[in-house]
Amino acid sequence: MPDIIGLVLWPIKWVVELILVAFHWLFTQIGLDPAAGLTWVLSIVGLTVVVRAALIPIFVRQIKNQRRMLEIAPQLKKIQDKYKGKKDQFSREAMSRETMELYKKTGTNPLSSCLPLLLQMPVFFALFQVLNGAQSGKAGVGPLNEVLAQQFGNATLFGVAPLHQSFQGAMNAHPPQVAVMIIAAVMVVLMTGSQFLTQLQIVSKNMSPETKASPQFKQQRILLYLLPFVFLFSGFAFPLGVMFYWLTSNLWTMGQQFLVIRNMPTPGSDAAKAREARLAKKGKLVQPDGATVLTVEEQPKKQPTQRVQPVSKSRAKKQAGK
């Protein structure tokens, strides 16, 4: 039976290796030790930045789709109220059909909010496999040759923490690798905290009163406190190298979300009101939808009208005589 997952991840692993090796070459050229753990950690950070930058157009599309979902929320509620209490198959099919027609008509997709995360998962698992293969000195499927794979597999951070080691593996080692456990624990706390803060700023600042009154908001509040525990326990099983990718990605998401909430907030949310107050303080005009228009200084100034001096009768006769 063919390895379907391996076939799907093969091209992604090739690209991951290409970007990883390119950054490793760059940092080596500026004088860093090619076998040092810091060099490989910086290469992983560079890989993360490239991946997240490539996903910016998809993230923008996600924001626009979320806005459209908010706009059609009243229409969705009408459809749900129309079939409320009707549990027969015909009513369920009719409700589903009308909902899908509304999505198609307005160009919305309820799954697009998960698209950036779904696209990152193959990269995450590809890096995991690359790191696991490098641990045994095995060459990768692309530019990561045997020499680089051995360097990557044997790289240690600060000379004491192998990048291929996880908290769980360090705890079961004989003797236990305390340095790895400390670094991994700190990274898990940072990853969990950044994930929590990212979701918190969305829930607390970037939701309209209508959304906060919906049942979906209550579910999101539950996930706000539940997801960190999932990351908290699962993070201990991943190697340090993969955790650096995860942490960098979380920090990118937190910063990106902050900029979006500050500059493109959801209309009617607390963030939108704060933005309007900032713009008003700076003397900028704001449209009802939150879009910025010309400042007072930038608006075209009216040209002063020239005042026509009245001509006396004697002067008019002189001008006529000429």
Side-chain angles (χ1 to χ4, degrees):
M1 182 177 178
D3 184 7
I4 303 298
I5 297 179
L7 290 175
V8 172
L9 289 181
W10 189 92
I12 303 175
K13 288 169 64 177
W14 200 98
V15 175
V16 165
E17 291 180 16
L18 176 64
I19 300 173
L20 193 66
V21 170
F23 274 106
H24 180 264
W25 174 86
L26 177 64
F27 291 124
T28 302
Q29 292 300 307
I30 63 177
L32 296 183
D33 182 3
L38 178 61
T39 307
W40 285 104
V41 167
L42 292 176
S43 301
I44 293 172
V45 172
L47 167 68
T48 312
V49 171
V50 170
V51 171
R52 294 308 307 267
L55 291 176
I56 287 178
I58 298 174
F59 180 78
V60 173
R61 182 179 177 183
Q62 172 194 2
I63 297 297
K64 292 180 179 179
N65 184 80
Q66 289 176 342
R67 297 287 171 82
R68 286 195 294 265
M69 288 293 295
L70 289 173
E71 291 174 359
I72 67 171
Q75 301 177 56
L76 282 174
K77 191 174 186 307
K78 288 181 180 179
I79 296 176
Q80 294 170 356
D81 292 342
K82 180 179 178 181
Y83 295 98
K84 187 177 181 180
K86 299 179 181 180
K87 298 183 180 180
D88 58 285
Q89 184 176 356
F90 177 79
S91 298
R92 289 199 302 267
E93 291 178 353
M95 178 179 172
S96 177
R97 184 171 59 253
E98 291 184 24
T99 302
M100 295 307 296
E101 288 176 355
L102 179 61
Y103 287 151
K104 185 177 180 180
K105 180 181 177 182
T106 55
T108 54
N109 184 357
L111 298 178
S112 75
S113 59
C114 304
L115 195 56
L117 178 61
L118 293 176
L119 291 177
Q120 276 195 90
M121 293 309 294
V123 179
F124 184 81
F125 287 117
L127 179 62
F128 182 81
Q129 290 194 5
V130 168
L131 188 57
N132 276 351
Q135 178 182 349
S136 57
K138 181 181 177 182
V141 300
L144 191 70
N145 57 37
E146 188 173 345
V147 175
L148 291 173
Q150 289 179 354
Q151 288 181 350
F152 193 17
N154 297 328
T156 57
L157 189 62
F158 309 126
V160 293
L163 295 182
H164 67 263
Q165 189 63 281
S166 64
F167 182 94
Q168 186 176 0
M171 186 173 58
N172 296 329
H174 299 286
Q177 297 174 318
V178 180
V180 174
M181 295 169 63
I182 293 174
I183 295 173
V186 171
M187 292 184 65
V188 167
V189 171
L190 291 175
M191 289 189 300
T192 305
S194 58
Q195 179 71 28
F196 177 79
L197 290 176
T198 300
Q199 295 299 320
L200 180 63
Q201 64 181 351
I202 297 174
V203 173
S204 62
K205 297 181 180 180
N206 203 37
M207 286 191 173
S208 62
E210 294 80 7
T211 305
K212 290 183 177 181
S214 65
Q216 288 80 5
F217 177 74
K218 296 179 181 178
Q219 297 175 4
Q220 195 157 357
R221 290 284 296 186
I222 295 174
L223 290 176
L224 171 66
Y225 297 100
L226 182 62
L227 283 178
F229 286 101
V230 175
F231 292 120
L232 184 64
F233 291 108
S234 62
F236 288 107
F238 291 111
L240 291 181
V242 177
M243 290 171 68
F244 273 108
Y245 174 88
W246 194 353
L247 176 60
T248 307
S249 182
N250 278 8
L251 294 176
W252 177 289
T253 301
M254 185 171 65
Q256 184 174 252
Q257 198 66 255
F258 172 79
L259 292 176
V260 169
I261 292 176
R262 180 178 175 82
N263 300 311
M264 298 172 55
T266 301
S269 64
D270 293 339
K273 295 176 183 178
R275 179 174 180 269
E276 291 175 6
R278 289 196 307 270
L279 294 176
K281 189 176 180 180
K282 293 179 181 179
K284 293 187 176 183
L285 301 177
V286 182
Q287 294 177 345
D289 60 356
T292 307
V293 294
L294 294 177
T295 62
V296 175
E297 292 79 6
E298 294 170 338
Q299 293 181 43
K301 296 181 179 179
K302 294 182 179 180
Q303 296 295 331
T305 56
Q306 295 182 353
R307 186 176 178 181
V308 180
Q309 296 292 336
V311 182
S312 61
K313 293 182 180 181
S314 59
R315 187 177 178 183
K317 287 180 181 180
K318 290 180 180 180
Q319 290 177 354
K322 291 182 180 178

